[in-house]
Amino acid sequence: MSKLKTRTLLNFCFGLDEFMAGICTCLVGRDIIGRELAKNQCPQASFFKDSRLMSVLNEAMAGRKDFQLSRYDDSLITSKANHQHPFLITVIYYLYQVSVLMPWFFNKGLYHLSDKKMIAACKAAADQDNFSVPAALKMPQWSIFVTLPEVSELSDDVAAVYPRALYDFGGFFAALQEETDGELYLNIMPVEHGGAILERFSINLGKGSMQEAMAKYNAETDLHFKTFKESDPDKINDEGIAQHYKSVQTIAPYVLKMVEAICADDTTFTDRNGNAVTPENIKPQLHQGSEIYGARLKEQHFNVQ
């Protein structure tokens, strides 16, 4: 991860404010997080749901005259009609970034897989005969960042199983989200070595295959590409669409198995000094009878053994 600096990752969070001022920190010191977490059945899931995202943000940003999204409700994401409007699709993509980056901002956890864990994850992803999608993941934090090595850093053993499709990426954000229907999704946002962040894709956990697990994301993306192609055919072409799908479908099993390796019962964590540590979400503080959440000031580094 030599080319990706922590400030780059933090800048993604603060960059949310460039579109909507104050949104990055609007939940800091609020009791909204605790109330949203209480709606989850899965204790490891984040405080965001796509189907309630606007409800939460509207409450958090209430009273701010510059909150341009206040006219929208939860149907902004849940209504299919909105996914057929070019401008609203770009707003939805922005909100998808919010759903992953804001939970990460509270803990700022960076996870580095050992060679042993990386090899096991890559082999599991490549084993199509025995591949399975986990029904749930015991995420150590609401949202994490998993660092990926540069090609020059790969040991011979890791290089033998590490997919070329990941060569351009320095890591990825991963957040666990529980929807109102109880479905669990692993939301992934890859980051290139150069610092470019890609759009979020979602893996529906508990499905029998990756094809089923990616079906909802694929259908939504098909709709978005169709809409953009109809509105501006010069910027969208079939070759570009095919390349996008090939990239996402190739890396999805690998990042899933890397996260699964982090969440395994036998996984241990150490800090930069080799001391045993246990990752956890930041603890709430009691304020005027309500539990509020602050944000850690510094990043946390976890070596995954």
Side-chain angles (χ1 to χ4, degrees), residues 211-246:
Q211 182 177 2
E212 293 173 317
M214 298 286 288
K216 182 178 179 180
Y217 164 79
N218 289 338
E220 184 178 281
T221 306
D222 282 340
L223 185 59
H224 293 169
F225 275 131
K226 179 182 178 182
T227 300
F228 283 126
K229 190 174 181 179
E230 290 175 348
S231 64
D232 194 348
D234 293 336
K235 290 186 178 181
I236 301 291
N237 57 70
D238 293 336
E239 182 180 355
I241 294 174
Q243 290 177 348
H244 167 83
Y245 274 116
K246 182 178 180 181

Side-chain angles (χ1 to χ4, degrees), residues 109-213:
L110 292 86
Y111 292 75
H112 318 266
L113 273 73
S114 66
D115 279 7
K116 179 181 178 181
K117 281 287 187 180
M118 182 66 78
I119 291 169
C122 289
K123 286 184 175 179
D127 186 2
Q128 296 299 311
D129 293 335
N130 298 299
F131 189 90
S132 61
V133 179
L137 290 167
K138 295 181 180 179
M139 291 283 282
Q141 294 175 318
W142 297 316
S143 181
I144 65 177
F145 185 82
V146 182
T147 65
L148 296 176
E150 292 188 46
V151 178
S152 60
E153 299 173 340
L154 296 174
S155 67
D156 291 342
D157 289 339
V158 175
V161 295
Y162 195 76
R164 290 185 176 273
L166 286 176
Y167 279 11
D168 292 335
F169 299 104
F172 59 90
F173 292 95
L176 185 63
Q177 177 175 292
E178 179 183 324
E179 268 307 323
T180 51
D181 58 5
E183 294 276 9
L184 288 172
Y185 292 85
L186 182 66
N187 293 330
I188 302 291
M189 283 175 40
V191 179
E192 295 180 344
H193 282 296
I197 191 168
L198 277 64
E199 301 294 348
R200 189 193 86 174
F201 67 85
S202 296
I203 302 171
N204 189 340
L205 302 179
K207 297 297 182 179
S209 66
M210 280 302 293
Q211 182 177 2
E212 293 173 317

